[in-house]
Amino acid sequence: MQIDARRLQLNRNVRRTSMAHLISFRTARFDVSREKPNDINPIAGQSVLLWLRDELAKAHYQVTEPETEDWGWYIDVVGAEASYLVGASADATDTTPSVEWIVQVHKNRSLKDKVLGRNKMAADDPLFTFIERLVRADRRIEQIDVTRDA
Protein backbone atom coordinates (compact mmCIF):
# COMPACT_ATOMS: atom_id res chain seq x y z
CA MET A 1 0.00 0.00 0.00
CA GLN A 2 1.52 3.33 -1.10
CA ILE A 3 1.10 6.50 1.01
CA ASP A 4 -1.10 8.95 -0.90
CA ALA A 5 0.08 12.41 0.23
CA ARG A 6 -3.06 14.26 -0.90
CA ARG A 7 -5.37 11.85 0.94
CA LEU A 8 -3.27 12.07 4.09
CA GLN A 9 -3.27 15.89 3.94
CA LEU A 10 -7.05 15.92 3.64
CA ASN A 11 -7.32 13.57 6.61
CA ARG A 12 -4.91 15.78 8.57
CA ASN A 13 -7.19 18.78 7.98
CA VAL A 14 -10.23 17.06 9.50
CA ARG A 15 -8.39 15.22 12.26
CA ARG A 16 -8.96 17.99 14.79
CA THR A 17 -12.31 16.41 15.68
CA SER A 18 -11.20 12.77 15.73
CA MET A 19 -10.44 10.62 18.74
CA ALA A 20 -6.85 9.65 19.42
CA HIS A 21 -5.01 7.22 21.64
CA LEU A 22 -2.29 8.86 23.74
CA ILE A 23 0.85 7.67 25.52
CA SER A 24 2.60 10.07 27.87
CA PHE A 25 5.91 9.33 29.57
CA ARG A 26 9.11 10.81 30.97
CA THR A 27 12.60 9.95 29.78
CA ALA A 28 16.09 11.30 29.27
CA ARG A 29 16.52 8.95 26.28
CA PHE A 30 15.84 11.67 23.68
CA ASP A 31 17.89 14.88 23.58
CA VAL A 32 15.63 17.79 22.57
CA SER A 33 18.65 20.10 22.17
CA ARG A 34 19.86 17.98 19.21
CA GLU A 35 16.57 18.12 17.33
CA LYS A 36 16.06 20.18 14.21
CA PRO A 37 14.10 23.25 15.37
CA ASN A 38 10.37 23.13 14.78
CA ASP A 39 9.80 25.95 12.26
CA ILE A 40 6.30 26.69 13.59
CA ASN A 41 6.55 26.52 17.40
CA PRO A 42 9.35 25.63 19.82
CA ILE A 43 8.01 22.12 20.41
CA ALA A 44 10.16 18.99 20.34
CA GLY A 45 9.08 15.64 18.92
CA GLN A 46 11.43 14.77 16.08
CA SER A 47 13.74 12.51 18.14
CA VAL A 48 10.90 10.32 19.44
CA LEU A 49 9.46 10.00 15.94
CA LEU A 50 12.83 9.09 14.41
CA TRP A 51 13.06 6.26 16.95
CA LEU A 52 9.47 5.16 16.25
CA ARG A 53 10.01 5.43 12.49
CA ASP A 54 12.96 3.05 12.64
CA GLU A 55 11.12 0.55 14.87
CA LEU A 56 7.96 0.70 12.73
CA ALA A 57 9.95 0.17 9.54
CA LYS A 58 11.51 -2.96 11.08
CA ALA A 59 7.95 -4.19 11.68
CA HIS A 60 7.12 -3.61 7.96
CA TYR A 61 5.09 -0.42 8.36
CA GLN A 62 5.52 2.31 5.73
CA VAL A 63 6.56 5.50 7.51
CA THR A 64 7.26 9.05 6.34
CA GLU A 65 9.96 11.37 7.67
CA PRO A 66 8.96 13.53 10.67
CA GLU A 67 7.38 16.86 9.76
CA THR A 68 6.37 19.85 11.88
CA GLU A 69 2.91 20.98 12.91
CA ASP A 70 1.81 23.80 15.21
CA TRP A 71 1.35 21.28 18.06
CA GLY A 72 4.61 19.34 17.55
CA TRP A 73 5.84 16.77 15.02
CA TYR A 74 4.14 13.97 13.09
CA ILE A 75 4.74 10.99 10.82
CA ASP A 76 2.29 9.23 8.53
CA VAL A 77 2.16 5.46 8.95
CA VAL A 78 0.59 2.81 6.72
CA GLY A 79 0.23 -0.81 7.76
CA ALA A 80 -2.10 -3.32 9.39
CA GLU A 81 -4.57 -2.45 6.59
CA ALA A 82 -4.95 1.14 7.83
CA SER A 83 -3.23 4.52 7.72
CA TYR A 84 -2.43 6.75 10.68
CA LEU A 85 -0.97 10.01 11.82
CA VAL A 86 1.41 9.59 14.76
CA GLY A 87 2.31 12.79 16.56
CA ALA A 88 4.83 13.58 19.28
CA SER A 89 5.43 16.64 21.39
CA ALA A 90 7.47 17.84 24.35
CA ASP A 91 8.62 21.19 25.69
CA ALA A 92 11.71 22.02 23.63
CA THR A 93 12.89 24.46 26.30
CA ASP A 94 12.82 21.88 29.12
CA THR A 95 16.29 21.86 30.65
CA THR A 96 15.79 18.86 32.94
CA PRO A 97 17.36 15.56 31.82
CA SER A 98 14.01 13.76 32.00
CA VAL A 99 11.49 15.31 29.59
CA GLU A 100 7.74 14.64 29.49
CA TRP A 101 6.60 13.39 26.08
CA ILE A 102 3.18 12.84 24.54
CA VAL A 103 2.70 10.48 21.59
CA GLN A 104 -0.69 10.54 19.90
CA VAL A 105 -2.03 8.07 17.36
CA HIS A 106 -4.91 8.99 15.02
CA LYS A 107 -6.40 6.45 12.63
CA ASN A 108 -7.35 7.93 9.26
CA ARG A 109 -10.99 7.38 8.35
CA SER A 110 -13.01 8.41 5.33
CA LEU A 111 -15.86 10.89 5.70
CA LYS A 112 -18.26 8.02 4.97
CA ASP A 113 -16.71 5.94 7.77
CA LYS A 114 -17.07 8.86 10.17
CA VAL A 115 -20.69 9.53 9.22
CA LEU A 116 -21.59 5.83 9.50
CA GLY A 117 -19.50 5.31 12.65
CA ARG A 118 -17.31 2.67 11.00
CA ASN A 119 -13.61 1.84 11.12
CA LYS A 120 -13.06 3.50 14.50
CA MET A 121 -9.78 3.09 16.29
CA ALA A 122 -10.22 0.11 18.60
CA ALA A 123 -8.74 -0.23 22.07
CA ASP A 124 -6.55 -3.04 20.72
CA ASP A 125 -5.52 -1.24 17.51
CA PRO A 126 -2.42 -3.03 16.13
CA LEU A 127 -0.31 0.11 15.57
CA PHE A 128 -1.10 1.65 18.93
CA THR A 129 -0.51 -1.67 20.70
CA PHE A 130 2.87 -1.98 18.96
CA ILE A 131 3.92 1.55 19.97
CA GLU A 132 2.75 0.99 23.55
CA ARG A 133 4.80 -2.23 23.76
CA LEU A 134 7.89 -0.39 22.45
CA VAL A 135 7.54 2.34 25.06
CA ARG A 136 6.91 -0.09 27.93
CA ALA A 137 9.85 -2.30 26.89
CA ASP A 138 12.41 0.52 27.14
CA ARG A 139 13.75 0.62 30.72
CA ARG A 140 14.83 4.26 30.23
CA ILE A 141 11.19 5.33 29.88
CA GLU A 142 9.15 5.86 33.04
CA GLN A 143 5.86 7.31 34.31
CA ILE A 144 3.98 5.80 31.37
CA ASP A 145 0.31 6.70 31.08
CA VAL A 146 -2.01 5.43 28.32
CA THR A 147 -5.31 7.06 27.37
CA ARG A 148 -7.55 5.62 24.68
CA ASP A 149 -10.12 7.79 22.86
CA ALA A 150 -8.74 11.08 24.16
Side-chain angles (χ1 to χ4, degrees), residues 34-37 43-51 66 73 88 101:
R34 293 181 182 240
E35 288 193 12
K36 175 180 155 188
I43 301 172
Q46 180 188 37
S47 55
V48 169
L49 292 177
L50 288 171
W51 170 63
W73 291 74
W101 293 91

Side-chain angles (χ1 to χ4, degrees), residues 43-94:
I43 301 172
Q46 180 188 37
S47 55
V48 169
L49 292 177
L50 288 171
W51 170 63
L52 287 176
R53 181 200 63 194
D54 292 346
E55 295 299 322
L56 291 168
K58 289 177 196 173
H60 307 290
Y61 284 91
Q62 291 183 334
V63 187
T64 62
E65 290 294 318
E67 296 286 338
T68 58
E69 256 292 354
D70 59 351
W71 44 260
W73 291 74
Y74 72 92
I75 53 176
D76 291 308
V77 179
V78 175
E81 298 183 20
S83 66
Y84 303 84
L85 177 135
V86 177
S89 57
D91 183 356
T93 62
D94 194 337

Side-chain angles (χ1 to χ4, degrees), residues 3-74:
I3 297 176
D4 179 350
R6 288 177 303 201
R7 181 177 49 103
L8 292 174
Q9 183 60 45
L10 289 172
N11 282 327
R12 210 172 289 119
N13 292 338
V14 297
R15 195 170 342 267
R16 309 249 188 259
T17 60
S18 68
M19 303 295 253
H21 290 358
L22 306 176
I23 302 173
S24 63
F25 55 88
R26 292 194 73 82
T27 188
R29 184 184 197 283
F30 309 105
D31 185 354
V32 298
S33 69
R34 293 181 182 240
E35 288 193 12
K36 175 180 155 188
N38 182 320
D39 57 348
I40 302 170
N41 281 319
I43 301 172
Q46 180 188 37
S47 55
V48 169
L49 292 177
L50 288 171
W51 170 63
L52 287 176
R53 181 200 63 194
D54 292 346
E55 295 299 322
L56 291 168
K58 289 177 196 173
H60 307 290
Y61 284 91
Q62 291 183 334
V63 187
T64 62
E65 290 294 318
E67 296 286 338
T68 58
E69 256 292 354
D70 59 351
W71 44 260
W73 291 74
Y74 72 92

